[in-house]
Amino acid sequence: MVGERSLSDPAPAAALGESRARVLELLRTAAQPLGVQDIAEQTGLHPNTARFHLDGLVEDGYAQRDTEDRDQPGRPRTVYQAVPGDAAAGLRSYRLLAEILTTLVAENVPRPEQLAREAGHAWGGYLTERPAPYERLNPPAATRRLVGILSEIGFAPQAQARDDQSPGDADGVRIELRHCPFREVAEHHRNVVCSLHLGLMQGALDVMRAPLQADRLDPFVEPSLCMAHLSPSNRNHGEDTQAPASEADPDAIGGT
């Protein structure tokens, strides 16, 4: 213990979200190791999201990653299989690692909010399924996709129309984030963690070519509630017109 704070994480089993637990169950019941596409097809997850959960299970000690043995030409697949239950035992300290790395960014980078938002933007795009060419998403469809991504990560999001919009902004959306999966770190480093979360939403909307933009994120407006604010964008469906994260409003992360 350091003061009142533990240097190790709680038992990993308590931290598994619904989607990750479902992926683990598939690995445990499979007759042979499974690849990312196998998991994506059986769960309905985007392949990048499936890989995100598989890699998380490997990091937590629940699964192992191997290269598939094959006699056919071509690049062998990366496959995953569950490890025996007792092999996952032992303390993990990813929260401590997150604290160390977040502090490193916060204290040594000239504009940590910008860097965090750029990283979130990149990961938001990575975890998002790109629409088909010329596919047009309306605001409700884009909102549903974004809520789905946030739900898979563990934010327990709920979307509703914004109550502060003008009559001409009928497509404004407010997303309530009822659970922060990085809360313990975010409470001490909001400028980094919350900027990363805002960038993640901006990156996802960019890849969707959505007619919405994430304007700001208000962290901890209540002890277990953060609020993301979306508004209509003038995005041209043929190209991304939203300013990159490095040019976004530095005050987009609000206070309590």
Side-chain angles (χ1 to χ4, degrees):
M1 299 287 291
V2 175
E4 296 296 324
R5 300 170 64 190
S6 173
L7 297 181
S8 60
D9 295 348
L16 289 183
E18 179 181 350
S19 295
R20 189 161 298 186
R22 184 159 41 114
V23 171
L24 178 58
E25 183 61 22
L26 285 174
L27 294 180
R28 286 176 170 168
T29 58
Q32 59 188 11
L34 300 176
V36 171
Q37 195 61 39
D38 299 324
I39 294 295
E41 290 174 356
Q42 294 185 54
T43 60
L45 297 172
H46 183 267
N48 287 341
T49 304
R51 183 180 289 106
F52 172 77
H53 288 305
L54 286 164
D55 290 342
L57 290 171
V58 171
E59 291 173 0
D60 287 342
Y62 285 106
Q64 63 185 37
R65 185 190 299 111
D66 296 300
T67 300
E68 184 179 46
D69 293 330
R70 56 182 297 174
D71 299 327
Q72 301 176 358
R75 184 177 180 180
R77 294 190 309 161
T78 298
V79 293
Y80 300 79
Q81 61 183 343
V83 300
D86 56 356
L91 292 175
R92 299 289 188 270
S93 296
Y94 293 115
R95 184 186 303 171
L96 174 60
L97 177 62
E99 291 270 7
I100 293 170
L101 295 178
T102 305
T103 301
L104 182 67
V105 172
E107 298 299 327
N108 294 280
V109 174
R111 298 179 63 185
E113 296 89 349
Q114 174 183 322
L115 180 66
R117 198 176 304 181
E118 290 174 349
H121 191 280
W123 274 94
Y126 173 75
L127 295 173
T128 302
E129 182 176 1
R130 188 177 296 274
Y134 306 111
E135 180 180 0
R136 302 292 187 262
L137 294 179
N138 59 28
T143 300
R144 285 193 297 270
R145 288 198 185 188
L146 180 60
V147 166
I149 294 167
L150 295 172
S151 179
E152 293 295 347
I153 298 173
F155 283 97
Q158 183 175 352
Q160 56 184 279
R162 280 170 47 171
D163 56 10
D164 59 346
Q165 60 195 17
S166 66
D169 291 337
D171 293 329
V173 177
R174 184 178 65 189
I175 299 180
E176 297 180 350
L177 305 174
R178 292 285 177 179
H179 175 264
C180 178
F182 314 104
R183 175 174 177 171
E184 290 80 6
V185 181
E187 287 177 333
H188 298 92
H189 306 287
R190 297 185 189 185
N191 61 329
V192 175
V193 179
C194 299
S195 294
L196 188 148
H197 294 165
L198 177 62
L200 188 148
M201 288 182 277
Q202 291 172 338
L205 292 170
D206 274 358
V207 165
M208 292 179 211
R209 304 191 300 273
L212 291 170
Q213 60 189 16
D215 298 322
R216 74 179 196 273
L217 173 63
D218 296 334
F220 302 115
V221 294
E222 296 179 8
S224 297
L225 174 65
C226 299
M227 198 78 70
H229 298 269
L230 278 58
S231 68
S233 75
N234 58 357
R235 189 191 313 276
N236 183 320
H237 285 285
E239 58 184 270
D240 292 334
T241 58
Q242 179 170 314
S246 60
E247 300 177 11
D249 181 2
D251 298 324
I253 299 298
T256 54

